[in-house]
Amino acid sequence: MADSKIITCRHCGNISKMEITASAEINEAYGDSQTGYSPNMGTSYDVLTCPACKKATIVTYFWHEDMESEDIKYEFLFPTEKIYPLGLPENILAIYKDAEKIKALNVNAYATAVRRLLETVCIEHGAKPDMLAKMLKELADKGEIPQKLVKVASGLRNFGNVGAHAAAGELSPKEIPIITALTTALLEFLYSAPYLATLAENKLNELKSKKT
């Protein structure tokens, strides 16, 4: 099978050429009435397999016989661009993206990266650098996070402990959706909700100012 252009896998973040495991073409007829020239052209649909995570990506692109391979532009049909929680500070978003890149490659490393994300979030919210359990308790005692959210964060901390310490056991891909859901819940509560509230308040103030 042929290989694709070099792309970034949207499943695992691997950057490389991918094997084209399936392909379909829709040919388009075009002819120049003055010259009689009728080039081959059309739209292709390719299924690409990542050599790292073995997951499929589906792309489409237009081509014609005079086009150089580097001029082909892929449109991703699956998976689409990942949507991250709103309102994340740049440093938190960067750590979150780094964790997302490895979750399909190594679950233990992913859980450890999420634990690091959690530690950074605690420090961002005023906790003194310490053991993660103590930082979570400090934030709860200060009212920065509710007790129910501490339970969510503690779940992530426990997964991170297993990922970081061989003696604690081994995580499997089955845990990925749980870790991802807990992480999303935490970030949306701490960042997305306040961001959207501020956005709504600013919009209401803008509407009020137009009436006066």
Side-chain angles (χ1 to χ4, degrees), residues 13-209:
N14 174 54
I15 302 175
S16 68
K17 291 183 178 181
M18 297 189 183
E19 182 182 357
I20 302 174
T21 52
S23 185
E25 292 183 356
I26 300 176
N27 293 322
E28 299 176 11
Y30 171 78
D32 189 315
S33 59
Q34 295 182 342
T35 64
Y37 176 58
S38 180
N40 291 320
M41 63 176 62
T43 301
S44 287
Y45 297 85
D46 290 347
V47 178
L48 315 177
T49 300
C50 175
C53 69
K54 306 302 180 183
K55 291 188 176 182
T57 295
I58 302 175
V59 299
T60 183
Y61 57 90
F62 171 80
W63 60 271
H64 62 76
E65 62 183 19
D66 298 324
M67 181 182 290
E68 300 292 338
S69 59
E70 58 267 23
D71 295 329
I72 291 175
K73 295 182 180 180
Y74 286 153
E75 176 187 348
F76 288 80
L77 300 179
F78 174 83
T80 54
E81 190 72 36
K82 180 175 177 58
I83 299 175
Y84 298 103
L86 297 172
L88 298 184
E90 289 186 8
N91 62 324
I92 299 296
L93 180 59
I95 298 172
Y96 184 78
K97 286 183 175 181
D98 287 342
E100 287 288 300
K101 289 177 182 178
I102 60 174
K103 74 177 182 181
L105 302 176
N106 189 312
V107 185
N108 292 311
Y110 172 54
T112 303
V114 168
R115 192 181 192 283
R116 176 180 174 82
L117 170 66
L118 185 56
E119 291 176 352
T120 306
V121 168
C122 286
I123 294 172
E124 288 276 312
H125 282 76
K128 296 177 182 178
D130 203 327
M131 293 180 61
L132 184 54
K134 289 185 178 180
M135 287 195 286
L136 290 170
K137 184 178 183 304
E138 180 185 344
L139 291 183
D141 291 342
K142 292 165 59 178
E144 288 289 326
I145 56 176
Q147 288 295 337
K148 288 185 178 180
L149 198 59
V150 172
K151 293 181 180 179
V152 173
S154 294
L156 291 173
R157 174 176 64 85
N158 293 332
F159 279 121
N161 287 339
V162 175
H165 305 292
E170 189 80 13
L171 295 173
S172 72
K174 293 180 180 179
E175 280 76 61
I176 289 179
I178 302 173
I179 299 172
T180 301
L182 289 174
T183 304
T184 301
L186 178 71
L187 295 178
E188 287 182 344
F189 183 92
L190 291 175
Y191 296 104
S192 300
Y195 170 80
L196 290 171
T198 300
L199 197 67
E201 184 179 0
N202 291 339
K203 186 62 178 179
L204 287 172
N205 290 334
E206 180 184 336
L207 292 173
K208 289 178 181 178
S209 65

